Amino acid sequence: MEQYGMEDVALSVPSVEVSLMYGREDNFTGKVMYDSTLTRAYLHPEAVAALVKADKELKRLRPDLHFKVADASRPFSVQKKMYDTLRGTPKAPYVSNPANGGGLHNYGLAVDITLADAQGRELPMGTPIDHLGPEANIDREDELVAKGKLTKAEQANRQLLRRVMKAGGFMPLKSEWWHFNLRSRATARARYRLLDF
């Protein structure tokens, strides 16, 4: 990661907690995707700087909370492995096709993130990270609350996460409350280096 210019997030955001979900089997692929050498969260320096800003806003609003990162920079070889694992299944649409250049994780410009309390307990967000389904959508939250599928407290937690991440310059993804992009895919392909290893 460092050879590709990525930075260890924890060096700039010391309060961050890192638990990479693709280093375990309890992710939506059901398989370990990262080998034992990838245990830390790396991002492009611009994304690290944005996360520092987001962390300052979080500390201003809720000094009792901290970020917990579930995924950050992802090698392109892992993107291929994920896609091949899920090809032909109903989960395939949730993985960026490597043939199309992959996704923003492959440029170090996306982060999967949530909020945790001082004891390390994740705040309730209505679904776990990596939940595949409409309950994870951020544009349907009012409807989900009205139907009793999301509580007002869970919605407020999601809104807090979005507020602080947007303060840092990140953009939320409509279908996944935990996923934030720093740049568009077109900008990434034009101006940034793919983590092609």
Side-chain angles (χ1 to χ4, degrees), residues 48-140:
V48 172
L51 195 60
V52 168
K53 285 184 191 173
D55 185 61
K56 284 180 181 169
E57 181 67 0
L58 177 60
K59 295 293 185 283
R60 185 181 75 81
L61 296 171
R62 291 289 303 272
D64 56 317
L65 300 178
H66 63 271
F67 287 123
K68 184 174 181 180
V69 173
D71 198 31
S73 295
R74 182 186 306 155
F76 197 54
S77 59
V78 174
Q79 192 72 25
K80 292 175 182 174
K81 183 178 174 184
M82 289 174 81
Y83 188 78
D84 289 343
T85 299
L86 298 175
R87 191 193 322 237
T89 75
K91 296 178 181 179
Y94 289 90
V95 181
S96 294
N97 188 338
N100 299 328
L104 289 166
H105 283 290
N106 305 132
Y107 293 87
L109 297 169
V111 64
D112 293 337
I113 197 165
T114 191
L115 299 172
D117 65 17
Q119 286 73 44
R121 296 176 298 224
E122 292 181 19
L123 298 196
M125 299 287 188
T127 76
I129 287 180
D130 247 9
H131 175 82
L132 307 183
E135 298 81 13
N137 294 8
I138 67 172
D139 60 339
R140 299 178 63 180

Coordinates of all heavy atoms in Angstrom, one line a residue, residues 48-140:
V48 N -7.2 10.6 3.5 CA -6.8 10.6 4.9 C -7.1 12.1 5.5 O -7.6 12.2 6.6 CB -5.3 10.2 5.1 CG1 -4.9 10.5 6.5 CG2 -5.1 8.8 4.8
A49 N -6.7 13.1 4.7 CA -6.9 14.5 5.1 C -8.4 14.8 5.3 O -8.8 15.5 6.2 CB -6.3 15.4 4.1
A50 N -9.2 14.2 4.4 CA -10.6 14.4 4.6 C -11.2 13.7 5.8 O -12.1 14.3 6.5 CB -11.4 13.9 3.3
L51 N -10.6 12.5 6.1 CA -11.1 11.8 7.3 C -10.6 12.6 8.6 O -11.3 12.6 9.6 CB -10.5 10.4 7.3 CG -11.2 9.4 8.3 CD1 -12.7 9.3 8.0 CD2 -10.6 8.0 8.2
V52 N -9.5 13.2 8.5 CA -9.0 14.0 9.7 C -10.0 15.1 9.9 O -10.4 15.4 11.1 CB -7.6 14.6 9.4 CG1 -7.3 15.7 10.4 CG2 -6.6 13.5 9.5
K53 N -10.5 15.8 8.9 CA -11.5 16.8 9.0 C -12.8 16.3 9.6 O -13.5 16.9 10.5 CB -11.8 17.5 7.6 CG -10.8 18.4 7.1 CD -11.3 19.0 5.8 CE -10.1 19.8 5.1 NZ -10.5 20.2 3.8
A54 N -13.2 15.1 9.1 CA -14.5 14.5 9.6 C -14.3 14.1 11.0 O -15.3 14.3 11.8 CB -14.8 13.2 8.7
D55 N -13.2 13.7 11.4 CA -12.9 13.3 12.8 C -13.0 14.5 13.7 O -13.5 14.5 14.8 CB -11.6 12.6 12.9 CG -11.3 12.1 14.3 OD1 -12.1 11.2 14.8 OD2 -10.3 12.5 15.0
K56 N -12.5 15.7 13.3 CA -12.6 16.9 14.1 C -14.0 17.3 14.3 O -14.4 17.7 15.4 CB -11.8 18.0 13.4 CG -10.3 17.9 13.5 CD -9.6 19.0 12.8 CE -8.1 18.8 13.0 NZ -7.3 19.8 12.1
E57 N -14.8 17.1 13.2 CA -16.3 17.5 13.4 C -17.0 16.5 14.3 O -17.8 16.9 15.1 CB -16.9 17.5 12.0 CG -18.4 17.8 12.0 CD -18.7 19.3 12.4 OE1 -17.8 20.1 12.7 OE2 -19.9 19.6 12.4
L58 N -16.6 15.2 14.2 CA -17.2 14.2 15.1 C -16.8 14.6 16.6 O -17.7 14.5 17.5 CB -16.7 12.8 14.7 CG -17.2 11.7 15.7 CD1 -18.7 11.6 15.7 CD2 -16.5 10.4 15.2
K59 N -15.5 14.9 16.8 CA -15.1 15.2 18.2 C -15.8 16.5 18.7 O -16.0 16.6 19.9 CB -13.6 15.4 18.2 CG -12.8 14.1 17.9 CD -13.0 13.0 19.0 CE -12.1 11.8 18.7 NZ -12.6 10.9 17.7
R60 N -16.1 17.4 17.8 CA -16.8 18.6 18.2 C -18.2 18.3 18.6 O -18.7 18.8 19.6 CB -16.8 19.6 17.0 CG -17.3 21.0 17.4 CD -17.3 21.9 16.2 NE -18.4 21.6 15.2 CZ -19.6 22.0 15.3 NH1 -20.1 22.6 16.4 NH2 -20.5 21.6 14.4
L61 N -18.9 17.5 17.8 CA -20.3 17.2 18.1 C -20.5 16.1 19.2 O -21.4 16.2 20.0 CB -21.0 16.7 16.8 CG -21.1 17.7 15.7 CD1 -21.6 17.1 14.4 CD2 -22.0 18.9 16.1
R62 N -19.6 15.1 19.1 CA -19.8 13.9 20.0 C -18.4 13.4 20.4 O -17.9 12.4 19.8 CB -20.6 12.8 19.3 CG -22.0 13.1 19.1 CD -22.8 13.1 20.4 NE -22.7 11.8 21.1 CZ -23.5 10.8 20.9 NH1 -24.5 10.8 20.0 NH2 -23.3 9.7 21.7
P63 N -17.7 14.1 21.4 CA -16.4 13.6 21.8 C -16.4 12.2 22.4 O -15.3 11.7 22.5 CB -16.0 14.7 22.8 CG -17.3 15.4 23.2 CD -18.2 15.2 22.1
D64 N -17.5 11.7 22.7 CA -17.6 10.3 23.3 C -17.5 9.2 22.2 O -17.5 8.0 22.5 CB -18.9 10.1 24.1 CG -20.1 10.4 23.2 OD1 -20.1 11.4 22.5 OD2 -21.1 9.7 23.3
L65 N -17.5 9.6 20.9 CA -17.6 8.6 19.8 C -16.3 8.6 19.0 O -15.5 9.6 19.0 CB -18.8 8.9 18.9 CG -20.2 8.9 19.5 CD1 -21.2 9.2 18.5 CD2 -20.5 7.5 20.2
H66 N -16.1 7.6 18.3 CA -14.9 7.5 17.3 C -15.3 6.7 16.1 O -16.4 6.0 16.1 CB -13.7 6.9 18.0 CG -13.9 5.5 18.4 ND1 -14.4 5.1 19.7 CD2 -13.7 4.3 17.8 CE1 -14.4 3.8 19.8 NE2 -14.0 3.3 18.7
F67 N -14.5 6.8 15.1 CA -14.8 6.1 13.8 C -14.3 4.6 14.0 O -13.3 4.4 14.6 CB -14.0 6.7 12.7 CG -14.6 8.0 12.2 CD1 -13.9 9.1 12.1 CD2 -15.9 8.1 11.8 CE1 -14.4 10.3 11.7 CE2 -16.5 9.2 11.3 CZ -15.7 10.4 11.3
K68 N -15.0 3.7 13.3 CA -14.6 2.4 13.1 C -14.6 2.0 11.7 O -15.6 2.1 11.0 CB -15.5 1.4 13.9 CG -15.0 0.0 13.9 CD -15.9 -0.9 14.8 CE -15.4 -2.4 14.8 NZ -16.2 -3.2 15.7
V69 N -13.4 1.7 11.1 CA -13.3 1.4 9.7 C -13.4 -0.1 9.4 O -12.7 -0.9 10.0 CB -11.9 1.9 9.2 CG1 -11.7 1.5 7.7 CG2 -11.9 3.5 9.3
A70 N -14.3 -0.4 8.5 CA -14.5 -1.8 8.1 C -13.8 -2.2 6.8 O -13.5 -3.3 6.5 CB -16.0 -2.1 8.0
D71 N -13.5 -1.2 6.0 CA -12.8 -1.4 4.7 C -12.3 0.0 4.2 O -12.9 1.0 4.4 CB -13.6 -2.1 3.6 CG -12.7 -2.7 2.6 OD1 -11.6 -3.1 2.9 OD2 -13.2 -2.8 1.4
A72 N -11.1 -0.1 3.5 CA -10.5 1.2 3.0 C -10.0 0.9 1.6 O -10.7 0.3 0.8 CB -9.5 1.7 4.0
S73 N -8.7 1.1 1.4 CA -8.0 0.8 0.2 C -8.1 -0.7 -0.1 O -7.8 -1.5 0.8 CB -6.6 1.3 0.1 OG -6.5 2.7 0.2
R74 N -8.4 -1.1 -1.3 CA -8.5 -2.5 -1.6 C -7.7 -2.8 -2.9 O -7.9 -2.2 -3.9 CB -10.0 -2.9 -1.9 CG -10.2 -4.3 -2.2 CD -11.7 -4.6 -2.6 NE -12.6 -4.1 -1.5 CZ -13.8 -3.7 -1.8 NH1 -14.3 -3.7 -3.0 NH2 -14.6 -3.3 -0.8
P75 N -6.7 -3.7 -2.8 CA -6.0 -4.1 -4.0 C -6.9 -4.6 -5.1 O -7.9 -5.2 -4.9 CB -5.0 -5.2 -3.5 CG -4.9 -5.0 -2.0 CD -6.3 -4.5 -1.6
F76 N -6.5 -4.2 -6.3 CA -7.3 -4.6 -7.5 C -7.4 -6.2 -7.6 O -8.4 -6.7 -8.1 CB -6.7 -4.0 -8.8 CG -7.6 -4.0 -9.9 CD1 -8.9 -3.5 -9.8 CD2 -7.2 -4.6 -11.1 CE1 -9.8 -3.5 -10.9 CE2 -8.1 -4.6 -12.2 CZ -9.4 -4.0 -12.1
S77 N -6.3 -6.9 -7.2 CA -6.4 -8.3 -7.2 C -7.5 -8.9 -6.3 O -8.1 -9.9 -6.6 CB -5.0 -8.9 -6.8 OG -4.7 -8.5 -5.5
V78 N -7.8 -8.2 -5.2 CA -8.8 -8.6 -4.3 C -10.2 -8.3 -4.9 O -11.1 -9.1 -4.8 CB -8.7 -7.9 -2.9 CG1 -9.9 -8.2 -2.1 CG2 -7.4 -8.4 -2.2
Q79 N -10.3 -7.2 -5.7 CA -11.5 -6.9 -6.4 C -11.8 -8.0 -7.4 O -13.0 -8.4 -7.5 CB -11.3 -5.5 -7.1 CG -12.6 -5.0 -7.7 CD -13.5 -4.5 -6.6 OE1 -13.1 -4.1 -5.5 NE2 -14.8 -4.4 -6.8
K80 N -10.8 -8.5 -8.1 CA -11.1 -9.6 -9.0 C -11.5 -10.8 -8.3 O -12.4 -11.5 -8.8 CB -9.8 -9.8 -9.8 CG -9.4 -8.7 -10.8 CD -8.0 -9.0 -11.4 CE -7.6 -7.9 -12.3 NZ -6.2 -8.1 -12.9
K81 N -10.9 -11.1 -7.2 CA -11.2 -12.3 -6.4 C -12.7 -12.2 -5.9 O -13.4 -13.2 -5.9 CB -10.2 -12.4 -5.2 CG -10.4 -13.6 -4.3 CD -9.3 -13.5 -3.2 CE -9.5 -14.6 -2.2 NZ -8.5 -14.5 -1.1
M82 N -13.1 -11.0 -5.4 CA -14.4 -10.8 -4.9 C -15.4 -11.0 -6.1 O -16.4 -11.7 -5.9 CB -14.6 -9.4 -4.4 CG -13.9 -9.2 -3.1 SD -14.0 -7.5 -2.5 CE -15.6 -7.4 -1.8
Y83 N -15.1 -10.4 -7.2 CA -16.0 -10.5 -8.4 C -16.2 -12.0 -8.8 O -17.3 -12.4 -9.1 CB -15.5 -9.6 -9.5 CG -16.5 -9.5 -10.6 CD1 -17.6 -8.7 -10.5 CD2 -16.3 -10.3 -11.8 CE1 -18.5 -8.6 -11.6 CE2 -17.3 -10.2 -12.8 CZ -18.4 -9.3 -12.7 OH -19.3 -9.3 -13.7
D84 N -15.0 -12.7 -8.9 CA -15.1 -14.1 -9.3 C -15.8 -14.9 -8.3 O -16.5 -15.9 -8.7 CB -13.6 -14.6 -9.5 CG -12.9 -14.0 -10.7 OD1 -13.6 -13.5 -11.6 OD2 -11.7 -14.1 -10.8
T85 N -15.7 -14.6 -7.1 CA -16.4 -15.4 -6.0 C -17.9 -15.3 -6.2 O -18.7 -16.2 -5.9 CB -16.0 -14.9 -4.6 OG1 -14.6 -15.2 -4.5 CG2 -16.7 -15.7 -3.5
L86 N -18.4 -14.1 -6.5 CA -19.8 -13.8 -6.6 C -20.4 -13.8 -8.0 O -21.7 -13.6 -8.1 CB -20.1 -12.4 -5.9 CG -19.7 -12.4 -4.4 CD1 -19.8 -11.0 -3.9 CD2 -20.5 -13.4 -3.6
R87 N -19.6 -14.0 -9.0 CA -20.1 -14.0 -10.3 C -21.3 -15.0 -10.5 O -21.2 -16.1 -10.1 CB -19.0 -14.3 -11.3 CG -19.4 -14.0 -12.8 CD -18.4 -14.6 -13.8 NE -17.1 -14.5 -13.4 CZ -16.1 -13.9 -14.1 NH1 -16.4 -13.4 -15.2 NH2 -14.9 -13.9 -13.7
G88 N -22.4 -14.6 -11.1 CA -23.5 -15.5 -11.3 C -24.4 -15.6 -10.2 O -25.4 -16.4 -10.2
T89 N -24.2 -14.9 -9.1 CA -25.0 -15.0 -7.9 C -25.8 -13.7 -7.8 O -25.5 -12.7 -8.4 CB -24.2 -15.2 -6.6 OG1 -23.6 -14.0 -6.2 CG2 -23.2 -16.3 -6.8
P90 N -26.9 -13.7 -6.9 CA -27.6 -12.4 -6.7 C -26.8 -11.3 -6.1 O -27.2 -10.1 -6.1 CB -28.8 -12.9 -5.8 CG -28.9 -14.4 -6.0 CD -27.5 -14.8 -6.3
K91 N -25.7 -11.7 -5.5 CA -24.8 -10.7 -4.9 C -23.9 -10.0 -5.8 O -23.3 -9.0 -5.5 CB -24.0 -11.3 -3.7 CG -24.8 -11.9 -2.6 CD -24.0 -12.5 -1.6 CE -24.8 -13.1 -0.4 NZ -23.9 -13.8 0.6
A92 N -23.8 -10.5 -7.0 CA -22.8 -10.0 -8.0 C -22.9 -8.5 -8.3 O -21.9 -7.8 -8.4 CB -22.9 -10.7 -9.3
P93 N -24.2 -7.9 -8.4 CA -24.3 -6.5 -8.7 C -23.7 -5.6 -7.6 O -23.5 -4.4 -7.8 CB -25.8 -6.3 -8.7 CG -26.4 -7.6 -9.0 CD -25.5 -8.6 -8.4
Y94 N -23.4 -6.1 -6.4 CA -22.9 -5.3 -5.3 C -21.4 -5.2 -5.4 O -20.8 -4.5 -4.6 CB -23.3 -5.9 -4.0 CG -24.8 -5.7 -3.7 CD1 -25.7 -6.7 -4.1 CD2 -25.2 -4.6 -3.0 CE1 -27.0 -6.5 -3.8 CE2 -26.6 -4.4 -2.7 CZ -27.5 -5.4 -3.1 OH -28.8 -5.2 -2.9
V95 N -20.7 -5.8 -6.4 CA -19.3 -5.7 -6.5 C -18.9 -5.1 -7.9 O -19.4 -5.5 -8.9 CB -18.6 -7.2 -6.5 CG1 -17.1 -7.1 -6.6 CG2 -19.0 -7.9 -5.2
S96 N -18.1 -4.1 -7.8 CA -17.7 -3.4 -9.1 C -17.0 -4.4 -10.0 O -16.0 -5.0 -9.5 CB -16.8 -2.2 -8.8 OG -17.6 -1.2 -8.1
N97 N -17.3 -4.4 -11.2 CA -16.7 -5.3 -12.2 C -15.3 -4.8 -12.5 O -15.1 -3.7 -13.0 CB -17.6 -5.4 -13.4 CG -17.1 -6.4 -14.4 OD1 -16.0 -6.9 -14.4 ND2 -18.0 -6.8 -15.3
P98 N -14.3 -5.7 -12.2 CA -12.9 -5.3 -12.6 C -12.7 -4.9 -14.0 O -11.9 -4.1 -14.4 CB -12.1 -6.5 -12.2 CG -13.0 -7.3 -11.3 CD -14.4 -7.0 -11.7
A99 N -13.5 -5.5 -14.9 CA -13.4 -5.2 -16.3 C -13.7 -3.8 -16.6 O -13.3 -3.2 -17.6 CB -14.3 -6.2 -17.1
N100 N -14.5 -3.2 -15.7 CA -14.9 -1.7 -15.9 C -14.0 -0.8 -15.1 O -14.3 0.3 -14.9 CB -16.3 -1.5 -15.5 CG -17.3 -2.3 -16.4 OD1 -17.0 -2.6 -17.5 ND2 -18.4 -2.8 -15.8
G101 N -12.9 -1.4 -14.6 CA -11.9 -0.5 -13.8 C -12.0 -0.6 -12.3 O -11.3 0.1 -11.6
G102 N -13.0 -1.4 -11.9 CA -13.1 -1.6 -10.4 C -13.8 -0.4 -9.8 O -14.4 0.4 -10.5
G103 N -13.7 -0.3 -8.5 CA -14.4 0.8 -7.7 C -13.4 1.7 -7.0 O -12.2 1.6 -7.1
L104 N -14.0 2.6 -6.3 CA -13.2 3.7 -5.6 C -12.3 3.1 -4.5 O -11.3 3.7 -4.1 CB -14.1 4.8 -5.2 CG -14.6 5.6 -6.4 CD1 -15.7 6.5 -5.9 CD2 -13.5 6.4 -7.0
H105 N -12.7 2.0 -3.9 CA -11.8 1.3 -2.9 C -10.4 1.0 -3.6 O -9.4 1.0 -3.0 CB -12.4 0.0 -2.4 CG -13.5 0.2 -1.4 ND1 -13.2 0.7 -0.1 CD2 -14.8 0.0 -1.5 CE1 -14.4 0.8 0.6 NE2 -15.3 0.3 -0.2
N106 N -10.5 0.7 -4.9 CA -9.3 0.3 -5.6 C -8.3 1.5 -6.0 O -7.3 1.3 -6.6 CB -9.6 -0.4 -6.9 CG -10.5 -1.6 -6.7 OD1 -11.5 -1.8 -7.4 ND2 -10.2 -2.4 -5.7
Y107 N -8.8 2.7 -5.6 CA -7.9 3.9 -5.7 C -7.6 4.5 -4.4 O -7.0 5.6 -4.3 CB -8.7 4.9 -6.6 CG -8.8 4.5 -8.0 CD1 -10.0 3.8 -8.4 CD2 -7.9 4.9 -9.0 CE1 -10.1 3.4 -9.7 CE2 -8.1 4.5 -10.3 CZ -9.2 3.7 -10.7 OH -9.4 3.3 -12.0
G108 N -8.1 3.9 -3.3 CA -7.9 4.5 -2.0 C -8.7 5.7 -1.7 O -8.4 6.5 -0.8
L109 N -9.9 5.8 -2.4 CA -10.7 7.0 -2.3 C -12.1 6.7 -1.8 O -13.0 7.5 -1.9 CB -10.9 7.6 -3.7 CG -9.6 8.1 -4.3 CD1 -9.8 8.5 -5.8 CD2 -9.0 9.3 -3.6
A110 N -12.3 5.5 -1.2 CA -13.6 5.1 -0.6 C -13.3 4.4 0.8 O -12.2 3.8 0.9 CB -14.3 4.2 -1.5
V111 N -14.2 4.6 1.7 CA -14.1 4.0 3.0 C -15.4 3.5 3.5 O -16.4 4.1 3.2 CB -13.5 5.0 4.0 CG1 -14.4 6.2 4.3 CG2 -13.1 4.3 5.3
D112 N -15.4 2.3 4.1 CA -16.6 1.8 4.7 C -16.4 2.0 6.2 O -15.4 1.5 6.8 CB -16.7 0.3 4.4 CG -17.0 0.0 3.0 OD1 -17.6 0.9 2.3 OD2 -16.8 -1.1 2.5
I113 N -17.3 2.7 6.8 CA -17.1 3.3 8.2 C -18.3 3.4 9.0 O -19.4 3.5 8.4 CB -16.4 4.6 8.0 CG1 -15.7 5.1 9.2 CG2 -17.4 5.7 7.4 CD1 -14.7 6.3 9.0
T114 N -18.2 3.3 10.3 CA -19.3 3.5 11.2 C -18.8 4.2 12.4 O -17.7 4.6 12.5 CB -20.0 2.1 11.5 OG1 -21.2 2.4 12.2 CG2 -19.1 1.2 12.4
L115 N -19.7 4.3 13.4 CA -19.4 5.0 14.6 C -19.4 4.1 15.8 O -20.3 3.1 15.8 CB -20.4 6.2 14.9 CG -20.4 7.3 13.8 CD1 -21.6 8.2 14.1 CD2 -19.1 8.0 13.8
A116 N -18.5 4.3 16.8 CA -18.5 3.4 18.0 C -18.4 4.3 19.2 O -17.9 5.4 19.1 CB -17.4 2.4 17.8
D117 N -18.8 3.7 20.3 CA -18.7 4.4 21.6 C -17.3 4.1 22.3 O -16.5 3.4 21.7 CB -19.9 4.1 22.5 CG -19.9 2.6 23.0 OD1 -18.9 1.9 22.9 OD2 -21.0 2.2 23.4
A118 N -17.2 4.7 23.5 CA -15.9 4.6 24.1 C -15.5 3.2 24.5 O -14.3 2.8 24.6 CB -15.9 5.4 25.4
Q119 N -16.5 2.3 24.6 CA -16.3 0.9 24.9 C -16.0 0.0 23.6 O -15.9 -1.2 23.6 CB -17.4 0.3 25.7 CG -17.5 0.7 27.1 CD -17.9 2.1 27.3 OE1 -18.9 2.6 26.7 NE2 -17.2 2.9 28.1
G120 N -16.1 0.7 22.4 CA -15.9 0.0 21.2 C -17.1 -0.6 20.6 O -17.1 -1.3 19.6
R121 N -18.3 -0.3 21.2 CA -19.6 -0.8 20.7 C -20.0 0.0 19.5 O -20.2 1.2 19.6 CB -20.6 -0.9 21.8 CG -20.3 -1.8 22.9 CD -21.4 -1.7 24.0 NE -21.4 -0.4 24.5 CZ -21.5 -0.1 25.8 NH1 -21.5 -1.0 26.7 NH2 -21.5 1.2 26.2
E122 N -20.3 -0.6 18.4 CA -20.9 0.1 17.2 C -22.2 0.7 17.6 O -23.1 0.0 18.2 CB -20.9 -0.8 16.0 CG -19.6 -1.2 15.5 CD -19.7 -2.1 14.3 OE1 -20.7 -2.1 13.6 OE2 -18.7 -2.8 14.0
L123 N -22.5 1.9 17.1 CA -23.8 2.5 17.3 C -24.8 1.7 16.4 O -24.5 1.3 15.3 CB -23.8 3.9 16.9 CG -23.0 4.9 17.7 CD1 -23.4 6.3 17.5 CD2 -23.0 4.6 19.2
P124 N -26.0 1.5 16.9 CA -27.0 0.8 16.0 C -27.4 1.7 14.8 O -27.7 2.8 14.9 CB -28.2 0.6 16.9 CG -28.0 1.5 18.1 CD -26.6 1.8 18.2
M125 N -27.3 1.1 13.6 CA -27.6 1.8 12.4 C -28.7 1.1 11.6 O -29.0 1.5 10.4 CB -26.3 1.8 11.5 CG -25.1 2.5 12.1 SD -25.4 4.3 12.1 CE -23.8 4.9 12.6
G126 N -29.4 0.2 12.2 CA -30.5 -0.5 11.5 C -30.1 -1.8 10.8 O -30.9 -2.7 10.7
T127 N -28.9 -1.8 10.2 CA -28.4 -3.0 9.6 C -26.9 -3.1 9.9 O -26.3 -2.1 10.2 CB -28.6 -3.0 8.1 OG1 -27.6 -2.1 7.5 CG2 -29.9 -2.6 7.6
P128 N -26.4 -4.3 9.8 CA -24.9 -4.4 9.9 C -24.3 -3.8 8.6 O -25.0 -3.6 7.6 CB -24.6 -5.9 9.9 CG -25.9 -6.6 9.9 CD -27.0 -5.6 9.6
I129 N -23.0 -3.4 8.7 CA -22.3 -3.1 7.5 C -22.3 -4.3 6.5 O -22.2 -5.4 7.0 CB -20.8 -2.7 7.8 CG1 -20.8 -1.3 8.5 CG2 -19.9 -2.6 6.6 CD1 -19.4 -0.8 8.9
D130 N -22.4 -4.0 5.3 CA -22.4 -5.0 4.2 C -23.8 -5.7 4.1 O -23.9 -6.7 3.4 CB -21.3 -6.1 4.4 CG -20.3 -6.0 3.3 OD1 -20.3 -5.1 2.5 OD2 -19.4 -6.9 3.3
H131 N -24.8 -5.1 4.7 CA -26.2 -5.7 4.5 C -26.6 -5.4 3.1 O -26.6 -4.3 2.6 CB -27.1 -5.0 5.5 CG -28.6 -5.4 5.3 ND1 -29.1 -6.6 5.8 CD2 -29.6 -4.8 4.6 CE1 -30.3 -6.7 5.5 NE2 -30.7 -5.7 4.8
L132 N -27.1 -6.4 2.4 CA -27.5 -6.3 1.0 C -29.1 -6.2 1.1 O -29.7 -7.2 1.4 CB -27.1 -7.4 0.2 CG -25.6 -7.8 0.2 CD1 -25.3 -8.9 -0.8 CD2 -24.8 -6.5 -0.2
G133 N -29.6 -5.0 0.8 CA -31.1 -4.9 0.8 C -31.5 -3.4 1.0 O -30.7 -2.6 1.4
P134 N -32.8 -3.2 0.8 CA -33.3 -1.8 0.9 C -33.1 -1.2 2.3 O -33.1 0.1 2.4 CB -34.7 -1.9 0.5 CG -35.1 -3.3 0.7 CD -33.8 -4.1 0.4
E135 N -33.0 -2.0 3.3 CA -32.9 -1.4 4.7 C -31.6 -0.6 4.8 O -31.5 0.2 5.7 CB -32.9 -2.6 5.7 CG -34.2 -3.3 5.7 CD -34.3 -4.4 4.7 OE1 -33.2 -4.7 4.0 OE2 -35.4 -5.0 4.4
A136 N -30.6 -0.8 3.9 CA -29.3 -0.1 4.0 C -29.4 1.2 3.2 O -28.4 2.0 3.4 CB -28.2 -1.0 3.4
N137 N -30.4 1.4 2.5 CA -30.5 2.6 1.6 C -30.7 3.9 2.5 O -31.5 3.9 3.4 CB -31.7 2.5 0.6 CG -31.5 1.4 -0.4 OD1 -30.5 0.7 -0.3 ND2 -32.3 1.4 -1.4
I138 N -30.0 4.9 2.1 CA -30.1 6.2 2.9 C -31.2 7.1 2.3 O -31.7 8.0 3.0 CB -28.8 7.0 2.9 CG1 -28.4 7.5 1.5 CG2 -27.7 6.1 3.5 CD1 -27.2 8.5 1.5
D139 N -31.7 6.8 1.1 CA -32.8 7.6 0.5 C -34.2 7.1 0.9 O -35.2 7.7 0.4 CB -32.6 7.8 -1.0 CG -32.6 6.4 -1.7 OD1 -32.4 5.4 -1.0 OD2 -32.9 6.4 -2.9
R140 N -34.2 6.0 1.7 CA -35.5 5.4 2.0 C -35.7 5.4 3.5 O -36.6 4.7 4.0 CB -35.6 4.0 1.5 CG -35.6 4.0 -0.1 CD -35.6 2.6 -0.6 NE -36.9 1.9 -0.3 CZ -37.2 0.7 -0.7 NH1 -36.3 0.0 -1.3 NH2 -38.4 0.2 -0.4

